[in-house]
Amino acid sequence: MTLLFTLALIALVSAACYHRASWNTCLGVAAATLLIGTFAGAFGAFAWLIFLAIAIPLSMTNVRQQYIVAPLFKAFKKVTPSMSETEKSAIDAGTTWWEADLFCGNPNWNKLHQYQAPRLTAEEQAFMDGPVEEVCAMLNDWEATHELTDLPQEVWQYLKDNKFFAMIIKKQYGGLEFSAYAQSCVLQKLTSKSTLLSSIVGVPNSLGPGELLQHYGTQAQKDHYLPRLAKGDEIPCFALTSPEAGSDASSIPDFGIVCKGEWEGKETLGIRLTWNKRYITLAPVATVLGLAFKMRDPDGLLGDKKEIGITCALIPTNIPGVEIGRRHFPLNVPFQNGPTKGEGVFVPLDFIIGGPKMAGQGWRMLVECLSVGRVITLPSNSTGGIKSLALASGAYSRIRRQFKLPIGKMEGIEEALAKLGGYAYSSDAAVSMSTGAVDLGEKPSVISAILKYHLTEQMRDSTKHAMDIHGGKGICLGPNNYLGRGYQGAPIAITVEGANILTRNMIIYGQGAIRCHPFVLAELNACTIKDKEEALSSFDQALMGHIGFTISNLVRTKWLALTGGRFSKVPFNDETADYYRAAARFSASLALMSDICMAVFGGSLKRKERISARLGDLLSYLYLVSATLKRYNDEGRRKEDLPYVQWACQEHLYLCQRALADLINNMPSMALRGLLKLVLFPFGRPVRKPTDQMEHKLAQLLQTPGAARDRLASHIYLRDEPLNLIGTQEQTLKDILEVEPLFDKVCRAKGEKLPFMRLDKVAEMGRECGALNNDEADKLAAVEAKRLAVINVDDFDPADLLAGKARVVAKDADAA
């Protein structure tokens, strides 16, 4: 009887914890069970003594705080690393959204599906169908990247005239004021034609003077600059990174000294600036330079504070002393990028963005804007690239033949195609969902880091798979190569806006643990409260919540692991149900492992970058699964799209499982590792990689024109015109599929399996033997030139390949 009631007590309290019941509710459940068990003769005085010894001190606030929480608070403050002002600004920047639900271990899937899917307005759609299509048609990417190393002047002018640089600027200042989702769609289509084009358009609409001015500028600054930026009269850039401060941008050595100087013939209070920046996109052609520097006031001209901090200012590049014009050459993707320097350049205080009152607020301004900009530009460019690679590789695999069959029928090619198709679907889903969040008013700093890392990595992986599929077609640069520049330039996206190693190892979980965890930030903030009683009370409230949260996640994790999540609620009981269940299970595991790692490593977790990276991977892959499931629902749950959904969910859940297993294997104690394996994987690892059959179905989708393939091609430039290689290849695919039955007729008439080549000769054979009429023979013959255009590569006269001289100018003879 005692055993039965003890098990009942554990089960009932665990059920209360599973459902996140309050402390008082759990106490009530335990007391009621003890009372009933006492009347049944199962419990006696000893059981009540244990219960009261736990319940009374934890329920009496004064006793709990004085004898339990106060010593813990003292120890917590000792082991908690201090946060710098720049770290605090990064933590405080932005908002949390769906990633917080995933981090808390109990995602509400109905809440996810209630978020409205983003849609283009009529004006935005007209821009996509008009100016975006036209500028894509204007550009010869080979000419721009190989011969001009820049966009042609007529393309630059078209971009200015049609306000491509003003998508973020409000209409009252002459801008387009497009939604984040619309900006993403524009960049995807531009990328599918040229990474050079999308890079140049993306930067002014991301982190830069336009964005900073609209959020922080004075009215006079807005009235002067924003209309000029909208019309293209000003070309902006933003200078942050320097030779000494790349990923650690907050340590910039560039400085500005508050002093008096002459400006327009009058003595003026201002700043004397010295900077040396590099990697600055649009710097060589910029007319206005957004500059980040550390502001100092050694003479106290503004007050008692000597070190004012990072500040942002707008510097016209025609001021004497500003050096621009030289260019970097980033991996043969020659977007305008280069260094800028200045020494002792004097400007008035009014040049600070937001005026003198915003001095020292530069880092906060930057991280707040970055939380939005990083959701749009690089993820959208990566998504556009992945989607165009998936389409091009699918078409090429169906057109290109070896061993008398399309190479897309080979299992090795199918494996690579499946990855391209799955990445294309899930990356588009993630960008759509995340830009939709921005349009709902969110500033998702953690999500922006997730997308920046994972989508640029998927883009790099996709270029590799596409290159493997194309073989010799991919490696020979020339006007007919649509892979080479993207393959060369893939590391650029990996490097900029926070190098990916930094983003994965430090930012995703570093920000996520503090911003998304319901109690950690409150615990840290309690350490900064000066009033001792208030600090203790605040920490007590956060700590008790944290303990209950951890217990709840332990119970949830164990139950979901034992049952495989079979009893957890799912919004749809169809082919996707198991993905919701697995994601809920891994969400609980993430919440539990996060608290365990905080307890095991304490303040040193900040330095355990690989532990942090794996926790971040768990959060990231769960976010990508969520986006995939949401897209499938938003688009009407079409069964023909299931191969995309199944591959993406299966792949990312498998990676979740691997990250969790690696996390367990790197715990410092063998006993802890054994216990965690028992809790998290009691029956082994449940998720398997996508099967060969699943990848076969997905590969076939990419090679067969149809509605599912068309949906994957949304916002990709596919016009059939001479300068659009992917668009003409799409038409060739359709033409070849149309004439294949004619080719088969000739083979049957000849009694042999002919090689699928020299189709003009095959057409004549068919005409001669009566297998084809004249119209059919002409149709078959006409496809041969298109087929050859797809599989052939460029060759050059040796004289045409002579490189020009890229000369580095040394400042002195020793350097030379």
Side-chain angles (χ1 to χ4, degrees), residues 114-281:
Q114 285 170 1
Y115 290 123
Q116 187 175 359
R119 296 285 185 268
L120 295 175
T121 66
E123 179 185 6
E124 291 166 344
Q125 187 63 61
F127 189 79
M128 290 286 293
D129 296 338
V132 178
E133 285 273 321
E134 289 308 309
V135 78
C136 287
M138 290 173 65
L139 182 64
N140 182 331
D141 191 57
W142 174 252
E143 176 191 47
T145 60
H146 182 71
E147 298 174 16
L148 301 177
T149 63
D150 192 8
L151 294 178
Q153 284 304 308
E154 61 270 20
V155 173
W156 271 104
Q157 193 59 49
Y158 189 87
L159 294 174
K160 295 177 183 179
D161 293 343
N162 288 274
K163 302 185 179 181
F164 277 82
F165 301 139
M167 290 191 288
I168 62 168
I169 296 177
K170 296 184 183 299
K171 290 183 177 179
Q172 69 184 90
Y173 298 108
L176 296 175
E177 199 174 349
F178 279 173
S179 64
Y181 176 67
Q183 295 174 50
S184 172
C185 295
V186 170
L187 291 174
Q188 287 184 49
K189 182 168 281 193
L190 296 179
T191 299
S192 67
K193 178 59 186 285
S194 167
T195 54
L196 170 62
L197 182 59
S198 61
S199 299
I200 287 174
V201 171
V203 169
N205 289 290
S206 182
L207 178 62
E211 182 81 352
L212 292 169
L213 280 169
Q214 291 196 125
H215 283 86
Y216 310 105
T218 66
Q219 194 58 51
Q221 289 171 340
K222 293 177 183 179
D223 291 340
H224 175 75
Y225 279 112
L226 290 177
R228 297 175 60 79
L229 289 169
K231 290 187 293 185
D233 293 340
E234 301 276 10
I235 298 295
C237 71
F238 191 82
L240 175 61
T241 51
S242 70
E244 304 297 339
S247 295
D248 184 16
S250 62
S251 66
I252 51 175
D254 316 284
F255 61 91
I257 305 297
V258 178
C259 62
K260 291 183 179 179
E262 185 176 324
W263 183 259
E264 295 181 346
K266 299 179 182 178
E267 185 179 68
T268 304
L269 184 61
I271 320 162
R272 195 165 298 281
L273 296 162
T274 297
W275 72 89
N276 178 22
K277 304 286 191 178
R278 67 181 180 191
Y279 314 134
I280 311 305
T281 299

Side-chain angles (χ1 to χ4, degrees), residues 395-413:
Y396 184 81
S397 297
R398 189 62 181 78
I399 295 168
R400 174 67 166 164
R401 296 196 178 211
Q402 293 287 274
F403 310 107
K404 295 187 178 181
L405 78 160
I407 63 171
K409 293 185 181 294
M410 300 175 182
E411 289 193 353
I413 299 294

Side-chain angles (χ1 to χ4, degrees), residues 292-313:
F293 60 94
K294 288 184 176 177
M295 187 168 166
R296 300 167 186 162
D297 184 15
D299 297 329
L301 297 178
L302 299 180
D304 296 333
K305 193 173 183 179
K306 305 296 183 183
E307 296 291 333
I308 295 175
I310 294 177
T311 302
C312 297

Side-chain angles (χ1 to χ4, degrees), residues 122 251 257 271 301 361 374 403 426 564 610 627 654 696 745 772:
S251 66
I257 305 297
I271 320 162
L301 297 178
Q361 300 299 309
R374 284 213 303 185
F403 310 107
S426 65
R610 299 183 73 178
Y654 177 80
H696 169 74
K745 285 173 65 175
L772 303 179

Side-chain angles (χ1 to χ4, degrees), residues 742-773:
L742 303 180
F743 176 81
D744 292 339
K745 285 173 65 175
V746 178
C747 291
R748 287 194 298 271
K750 299 296 289 182
E752 61 177 308
K753 180 66 174 177
L754 298 169
F756 197 81
M757 62 178 66
R758 300 188 180 93
L759 299 183
D760 51 341
K761 305 299 183 184
V762 175
E764 286 304 315
M765 291 168 55
R767 197 193 315 262
E768 291 172 1
C769 70
L772 303 179
N773 61 36

